[in-house]
Amino acid sequence: MQRYDQDIIAGLIPAGSRVLDLGCGNGDLLLKLKRGGVTDVRGVEINDRCIAACVRKGLTVFHGDIDEGLSDYDDGSFDYIVLNQTLQVVHKPTLVINEMLRVGNRAIVSFPNFGHFKIRWHLLSKGQMPKADFLPRDWYDTPNIHLSTISDFEVFCGMRHIMIERIIGLRSCETGKTAKYFQNLLSQVGIFVIKSKREI
Amino acid sequence: MHVVDAIPRIRHRTFDALELDCGRTLSPVTIEYETYGKLNAAKDNAILLLHALSGSAHAAFTNDRGEHGWWEDFIGPGRALDTDRYFVICSNVLGGCSGSSGPGSVDPTTGRPYGLNFPVITVGDMVRAQKHLVAHLGIETLLSVIGGSLGGMQALQWAVDYPNLVQSIVVLAAAKRLSAQAIAFNEVGRQAIMSDPHWCQGDYYGRTPPDAGLALARMIGHITYLSEEAMHEKFGRALKQTNSYHYSFSEDFEVASYLHYKGNKFVERFDANSYLYITKAMDYFDLPDLSSIKAKLLIISFSSDWLFPPVQQRALVRSLRRRNKDVTYCEVQSWRGHDAFLLEVESLTELISGFLDNVSR
């Protein structure tokens, strides 16, 4: 299956960048980056089977829990830290985002957008925990514990003096179409490029 | 056609002299080794495999004496160390008692076994001896250096000492320095041997060896190689013969009987002095400076290993990462304790074969 979220993220990262992908899964994004000329890529992943899959792809990965922070890494040791569709499953989102902005010059964060109109309509019409094709699991069966909307994440960044460089609203992971307007209503996935304001 | 190549070739290599970390020179030096697979024309498919404390050069296949290779499930056609692709070399460590020079070897100056006159050796010395062997085989670069426990320490030492020779290393259940706890267990093991009246300051060759002491050292070692869970799984509180207690100091429990069995088996094939020398070399092992490493690294820990717990491998990985080394880390979930590096065939094969596949490309 084509992963447009990965294509978009890969397109945001210039060749020659040092990249760390948190929750890199089977390493598909890292491999895409590598093949696209971004050679200094590393991943962190909690699942040992995924680690083995990454090793088979020739990727450099660390078996660990990103909720424990990135204390092993020095400040600014990467150009980009990626957290693709993982924010909603971490236990400590604030810690993870802060650590990303400490260790990386920029962070790219993507997550399923709970502000999407289908989600809103599901809750309004049925009065039940929303499900959609991009959020298919039942409330009792989901790893997602920190769901948010594009608007929520903008507020989160604003409160923490995090600079938002760019927001991309992905209307569909399958078609790759993006939303120019009403991003919070129309996007299934929000992709943020953020940066710490401390350098300014 | 590969079957013929797969038969282990047992060889010895003797060279004139080896300068040791302690300042002494050992002369001559013999290293026993086995090889599996075939060295290719470019001589770039060689893997050096390094054994742990009690291992030998016999890593693969079951030999004509019925002895299993210590890593035989990992070596052979289609296995982690695929002998259709790689040329695998495994040598007995310096100080050992399975063919390489050690305290049981004959001292040419006296014509008698060295005993305690054998110089105290280090992991660095073991690696320097292996370097002679690799050079003798005409190999200029090693595709990988792989080992678990003491073997993992040697692999790290290789990467530090010979950065231009080593393309990659795989370190299983080892650390960049031996911990106080491990040194403590080694010391108790050595004391068990040295307290045996048959030890005679190491000068027991040709007489009754200190079997009781060595068996006890092995029993202590075995406890550290298993996890609490592994002991529970294997033995629990199972009784050896009857369903009732003996109310004596005989071996009531299966676990006790197992340890005795392991201890008694061990003395048949291992020299007590070698146990002293090799454990001492482990104690001295400490690599404070990893900056010279150029090899790609795969570091593997095992969740239930309490002799070399994952926290130690993570510390190793952290120092490597700080120096921007190309290091991959995986903690394999296993209840088998330290011995998992010999037993977790499926998950290790997946990791190691995938890793080597990319190094050899």
Side-chain angles (χ1 to χ4, degrees):
Chain A
M1 191 184 79
Q2 181 81 5
R3 284 285 301 266
Y4 283 98
D5 54 336
Q6 291 182 353
D7 290 352
I8 289 169
I9 291 169
L12 292 167
I13 299 172
S17 306
R18 297 163 300 165
V19 180
L20 179 66
D21 185 5
L22 302 178
C24 63
N26 286 329
D28 293 333
L29 174 62
L30 289 174
L31 194 65
K32 198 167 282 183
L33 285 166
K34 243 182 141 170
R35 287 182 176 153
V38 188
T39 49
D40 193 353
V41 296
R42 279 147 204 245
V44 179
E45 174 55 46
I46 197 165
N47 180 313
D48 51 355
R49 291 202 172 273
C50 289
I51 292 286
C54 289
V55 168
R56 181 135 321 260
K57 291 183 174 113
L59 298 166
T60 298
V61 285
F62 177 76
H63 188 195
D65 185 355
I66 55 177
D67 267 318
E68 287 167 11
L70 302 172
S71 58
D72 292 357
Y73 296 97
D74 293 333
D75 295 4
S77 42
F78 291 91
D79 298 308
Y80 287 87
I81 313 279
V82 178
L83 188 69
N84 186 24
Q85 307 262 17
T86 303
L87 180 67
Q88 73 279 7
V89 302
V90 303
H91 287 257
K92 298 169 190 164
T94 310
L95 171 87
V96 170
I97 297 287
N98 285 342
E99 281 287 88
M100 289 174 76
L101 294 170
R102 178 183 68 77
V103 173
N105 297 329
R106 283 188 174 80
I108 299 176
V109 181
S110 87
F111 51 85
N113 175 35
F114 219 64
H116 188 264
F117 68 89
K118 278 189 187 168
I119 297 285
R120 298 189 199 197
W121 176 245
H122 189 116
L123 182 61
L124 185 69
S125 63
K126 294 191 175 171
Q128 291 171 352
M129 271 305 279
K131 288 199 289 182
D133 39 8
F134 65 100
L135 275 171
R137 310 277 281 265
D138 282 303
W139 64 270
Y140 50 82
D141 179 38
T142 175
N144 301 333
I145 53 172
H146 283 118
L147 286 161
S148 64
T149 70
I150 287 175
S151 173
D152 281 328
F153 199 70
E154 285 184 86
V155 172
F156 175 92
C157 291
M159 282 165 61
R160 283 162 186 81
H161 307 291
I162 294 166
M163 193 203 289
I164 299 173
E165 285 196 339
R166 201 162 163 191
I167 304 173
I168 296 166
L170 186 56
R171 292 182 68 154
S172 157
C173 283
E174 276 119 61
T175 66
K177 279 186 189 155
T178 55
K180 284 208 175 70
Y181 308 103
F182 303 112
Q183 283 180 319
N184 194 34
L185 197 62
L186 300 177
S187 306
Q188 292 186 352
V189 174
I191 301 171
F192 282 66
V193 181
I194 57 175
K195 162 171 199 174
S196 170
K197 274 188 185 166
R198 62 169 184 240
E199 287 170 36
I200 302 162
Chain B
M1 69 186 245
H2 295 297
V3 177
V4 176
D5 296 336
I7 292 168
R9 293 152 185 257
I10 306 161
R11 303 251 172 88
H12 290 83
R13 168 66 186 162
T14 301
F15 49 96
D16 288 346
L18 186 72
E19 308 250 328
L20 303 171
D21 284 340
C22 68
R24 287 174 60 183
T25 302
L26 188 65
S27 174
V29 182
T30 297
I31 295 296
E32 172 156 315
Y33 64 99
E34 293 189 9
T35 64
Y36 319 101
K38 219 173 181 178
L39 187 62
N40 64 14
K43 297 189 174 185
D44 62 2
N45 68 334
I47 293 173
L48 182 64
L49 177 64
L50 306 163
H51 67 75
L53 168 57
S54 63
S56 70
H58 181 50
F61 307 101
T62 302
N63 64 18
D64 45 16
R65 282 174 289 178
E67 292 161 347
H68 293 284
W70 60 268
W71 228 36
E72 65 180 10
D73 292 340
F74 294 87
I75 307 163
R79 294 188 176 164
L81 308 190
D82 186 343
T83 46
D84 286 345
R85 296 175 63 184
Y86 309 122
F87 176 64
V88 181
I89 310 155
C90 183
S91 71
N92 183 217
V93 286
L94 182 69
C97 49
S98 308
S100 294
S101 297
S105 308
V106 172
D107 179 351
T109 60
T110 64
R112 301 184 58 240
Y114 280 102
L116 288 204
N117 291 324
F118 193 77
V120 170
I121 50 160
T122 64
V123 172
D125 295 330
M126 294 173 179
V127 165
R128 218 168 300 126
Q130 290 154 5
K131 165 74 169 53
H132 274 271
L133 171 63
V134 168
H136 160 70
L137 295 172
I139 294 161
E140 281 168 10
T141 59
L142 288 162
L143 182 68
S144 199
V145 179
I146 302 175
S149 198
L150 170 63
M153 297 178 192
Q154 294 171 66
L156 277 169
Q157 186 89 48
W158 259 99
V160 168
D161 289 356
Y162 303 107
N164 296 320
L165 262 68
V166 182
Q167 277 180 269
S168 73
I169 66 169
V170 180
V171 177
L172 306 137
K176 63 174 176 172
R177 60 174 64 96
L178 199 71
S179 70
Q181 189 191 42
I183 293 172
F185 279 116
N186 280 347
E187 180 61 22
V188 176
R190 286 192 296 268
Q191 287 303 322
I193 292 165
M194 292 158 85
S195 319
D196 187 321
H198 292 300
W199 181 60
C200 303
Q201 296 298 309
D203 187 17
Y204 53 77
Y205 298 102
R207 285 181 266 168
T208 309
D211 285 347
L214 179 60
L216 179 54
R218 181 63 169 174
M219 287 165 77
I220 295 161
H222 247 286
I223 297 169
T224 68
Y225 307 151
L226 299 177
S227 66
E228 191 272 337
E229 197 184 348
M231 281 213 185
H232 176 76
E233 280 291 322
K234 275 181 134 161
F235 313 107
R237 290 183 53 84
L239 296 174
K240 200 181 153 196
Q241 284 153 342
T242 55
N243 287 328
S244 59
Y245 297 161
H246 283 111
Y247 296 104
S248 76
F249 293 101
S250 61
E251 296 159 28
D252 274 325
F253 293 94
E254 278 285 1
V255 63
S257 145
Y258 169 82
L259 287 177
H260 281 285
Y261 170 77
K262 282 287 180 185
N264 293 333
K265 281 295 273 188
F266 191 58
V267 301
E268 290 169 13
R269 66 176 177 93
F270 214 82
D271 178 30
N273 282 338
S274 277
Y275 199 91
L276 302 181
Y277 278 89
I278 297 172
T279 54
K280 194 70 191 184
M282 292 173 77
D283 290 2
Y284 286 133
F285 183 75
D286 183 5
L287 290 176
D289 184 7
L290 302 168
S291 56
S292 64
I293 294 178
K294 290 183 185 168
K296 196 174 160 75
L297 305 106
L298 174 62
I299 312 285
I300 298 173
S301 67
F302 300 92
S303 55
S304 58
D305 181 354
W306 59 280
L307 190 57
F308 290 85
V311 64
Q312 293 181 13
Q313 282 85 345
R314 280 199 291 269
L316 165 64
V317 171
R318 192 176 309 134
S319 30
L320 288 164
R321 223 161 27 183
R322 286 242 162 94
R323 286 162 189 82
N324 209 26
K325 306 299 179 192
D326 187 346
V327 55
T328 285
Y329 170 68
C330 186
E331 178 182 322
V332 171
Q333 293 302 307
S334 171
W335 53 268
R336 294 184 157 102
H338 184 59
D339 266 351
F341 82 89
L342 302 166
L343 303 168
E344 291 292 347
V345 179
E346 194 187 334
S347 46
L348 289 180
T349 297
E350 179 61 22
L351 282 166
I352 294 169
S353 67
F355 181 74
L356 292 177
D357 212 22
N358 282 283
V359 177
S360 61
R361 246 173 230 170

